[in-house]
Amino acid sequence: MNVTIVDYNSGNISSVINSFKEVAKDKINIEITSDLNKIRSSDKVVLPGQGSFKSCVDALNNIIGLVDTLNDFVINNKKPLFGICVGLQMFADIGYEETETKGLGWISGKVLKIDNKNKKYKLPHIGWNQINIVKDSKIFKDIENNSHMYFVHSYEFVPEDKNIISATTDYSSNIVCSVEKENIFGTQFHPEKSDKIGLKIINNFISL
């Protein structure tokens, strides 16, 4: 099996790479690349994301053909893709970080700034927080509800279809922290920074 982590210059993804390699243990081929042919031919794709919504979308668009290749992979070929942090947020139609920016449009919705209730809640939301698993999700197989995951974000994904939400976390409001729609998976938290439980989530995705 070939699992490709998309390298599109979105920041330091070394912890993502290390975690996937640790879980794969040489049984699965993990490749980090922006090569369109390699992405196209892989069995699963991981879309990490660090920085702002706009900077990540711009970085994707800067690699000619990458967005079309990802659309083909996800929408036409229905292969599994896992978005992490801003990688998840880019599933949306539109985001409002820095400026209004068009997303990938895979899951209808918007990316909005977290309501900090007049500075009652610090932004960015950084650190460990409990997740509430709200539906059976393949990536949460054998994960206990109310497990703690590691977050770093100031913006949240607000999908139109609430049925695709697989987990939420409580920070000023019920924030969507995981989604599953057919072959599309994403977490707002960082599984690669969430210790053994995070590695289990990565393993669940690899094992799909």
Side-chain angles (χ1 to χ4, degrees):
M1 182 193 291
N2 293 310
V3 177
T4 298
I5 299 170
V6 182
D7 182 7
Y8 61 103
N9 304 313
S10 77
N12 182 8
I13 59 169
S14 58
S15 55
V16 175
I17 294 162
N18 292 338
S19 294
F20 272 80
K21 285 191 168 175
E22 183 180 338
V23 170
K25 290 185 170 41
D26 298 327
K27 296 175 194 163
I28 291 157
N29 183 41
I30 305 285
E31 182 132 25
I32 304 92
T33 186
S34 58
D35 184 295
L36 303 186
N37 288 327
K38 287 180 178 175
I39 293 169
R40 207 174 279 123
S41 63
S42 56
D43 299 294
K44 298 183 177 79
V45 159
V46 180
L47 185 63
Q50 269 189 240
S52 72
F53 185 95
K54 182 182 184 303
S55 68
C56 285
V57 169
D58 287 349
L60 277 185
N61 286 320
N62 282 340
I63 298 172
I64 295 167
L66 179 54
V67 170
D68 287 341
T69 300
L70 290 172
N71 282 335
D72 205 40
F73 187 92
V74 169
I75 305 301
N76 298 332
N77 296 325
K78 299 280 183 193
K79 290 184 181 179
L81 179 139
F82 187 9
I84 297 173
C85 197
V86 186
L88 153 71
Q89 293 180 2
M90 289 192 294
F91 296 171
D93 299 313
I94 196 160
Y96 293 95
E97 190 170 3
E98 291 185 49
T99 184
E100 188 177 300
T101 306
K102 188 180 174 188
L104 293 165
W106 295 341
I107 297 177
S108 293
K110 300 174 180 177
V111 176
L112 305 171
K113 192 165 190 176
I114 295 169
D115 179 1
N116 67 0
K117 312 282 190 196
N118 290 321
K119 300 187 178 175
K120 184 181 172 187
Y121 291 86
K122 287 182 181 176
L123 290 182
H125 168 212
I126 298 179
W128 296 87
N129 209 344
Q130 280 183 318
I131 65 164
N132 178 33
I133 299 170
V134 295
K135 79 164 188 178
D136 262 353
S137 172
K138 293 167 187 166
I139 64 167
F140 290 137
K141 183 172 182 269
D142 299 327
I143 302 286
E144 284 188 21
N145 196 21
N146 300 319
S147 293
H148 286 78
M149 303 296 177
Y150 190 82
F151 291 82
V152 184
H153 65 123
S154 298
Y155 284 73
E156 60 173 321
F157 176 37
V158 183
E160 286 178 13
D161 180 5
K162 305 306 178 197
N163 291 320
I164 59 96
I165 300 168
S166 51
T168 61
T169 192
D170 187 16
Y171 194 79
S172 114
S173 65
N174 249 354
I175 289 172
V176 174
C177 69
S178 180
V179 299
E180 177 175 335
K181 182 187 178 185
E182 298 172 349
N183 55 308
I184 304 171
F185 304 85
T187 60
Q188 180 63 67
F189 57 82
H190 288 269
E192 78 282 5
K193 296 178 181 176
S194 297
D195 206 32
K196 288 178 183 174
I197 300 172
L199 292 178
K200 174 62 180 161
I201 287 172
I202 289 169
N203 186 59
N204 285 342
F205 175 72
I206 286 176
S207 303
L208 287 174

